[in-house]
Amino acid sequence: MNYHTRKWVKPEDLNPNHSLFGGRLLQWIDEEAALYAIIQLENTKVVTKFISEINFVSSAKQGDIIEIGIEAIHFGTSSITLKCDVRNKMTHQTIITVDKIVMVNLDADGNPAPHGKTRIEFVKDRLNNNL
Ligand SMILES: CC(=O)SCCNC(=O)CCNC(=O)[C@H](O)C(C)(C)COP(=O)(O)OP(=O)(O)OC[C@H]1O[C@@H](n2cnc3c(N)ncnc32)[C@H](O)[C@@H]1OP(=O)(O)O
């Protein structure tokens, strides 16, 4: 799993108990999943279809640096299924796990469309192949 994105937990991200608000974390995860799917599928019209059980394993507090990891675990016809782990950057303590996030590739009319992808690709390889 690659941990691309880091976040610094700020006062505006906290709940009334002074720990990281779960809704804020899910917002960050949804955006990270969308970015991952857009890059993998090479299409900016991708939507979140389904999110499985979410396990809030431990809390984060103000000032913590957390990192969001996403990995593709299945390529469907129009969908891509991801898993997500968020952990404390310094201690590697798991904060949240999401087993399945299904993102769907859309055409210009907003209908599911085949993406033609079967495996994880890296942008650097795409760029090298175009040389
Ligand atoms: C990043 C964001 O903020 S996106 C904003 C939030 N998301 C949205 O607004 C999406 C709203 N939903 C929709 O517009 C529609 O449900 C659509 C277009 C995504 C899908 O429409 P559907 O009629 O369900 O499409 P369809 O039945 O063809 O399924 C499309 C794919 O999703 C998968 N899928 C559909 N429902 C589910 C489900 N409940 N769980 C897992 N996968 C599902 C299907 O297996 C299919 O994958 P495949 O082509 O790889 O086999």
Side-chain angles (χ1 to χ4, degrees):
M1 174 155 320
N2 282 322
Y3 292 81
H4 287 293
T5 295
R6 294 173 294 189
K7 294 282 185 185
W8 196 15
V9 179
K10 299 185 183 140
E12 61 266 31
D13 304 321
L14 304 181
N15 60 35
N17 291 323
H18 309 293
S19 61
L20 174 60
F21 178 48
R24 178 76 76 205
L25 189 49
L26 294 177
Q27 177 189 339
W28 291 341
I29 289 170
D30 194 28
E31 180 168 340
E32 189 70 11
L35 290 172
Y36 186 100
I38 286 167
I39 292 165
Q40 285 301 318
L41 304 182
E42 297 187 81
N43 177 15
T44 54
K45 286 198 68 135
V46 173
V47 287
T48 312
K49 173 64 187 172
F50 173 86
I51 299 180
S52 73
E53 290 86 355
I54 297 162
N55 185 355
F56 288 90
V57 178
S58 67
S59 61
K61 61 182 188 312
Q62 185 175 330
D64 284 351
I65 301 169
I66 67 169
E67 53 184 1
I68 304 170
I70 299 267
E71 186 174 70
I73 55 173
H74 177 71
F75 288 82
T77 303
S78 69
S79 69
I80 180 171
T81 303
L82 314 175
K83 70 177 284 196
C84 173
D85 280 280
V86 179
R87 67 186 185 185
N88 181 297
K89 171 73 182 165
M90 302 306 205
T91 65
H92 284 193
Q93 165 81 46
T94 299
I95 294 166
I96 196 172
T97 59
V98 187
D99 290 341
K100 279 173 68 177
I101 304 174
V102 178
M103 310 295 295
V104 176
N105 185 69
L106 303 181
D107 64 18
D109 298 322
N111 298 312
H115 49 63
K117 303 289 188 182
T118 55
R119 59 178 178 81
I120 295 171
E121 295 177 1
F122 298 96
V123 172
K124 65 174 170 23
D125 296 330
R126 289 179 190 149
L127 294 173
N128 285 338
N129 290 339
N130 287 337
L131 287 178

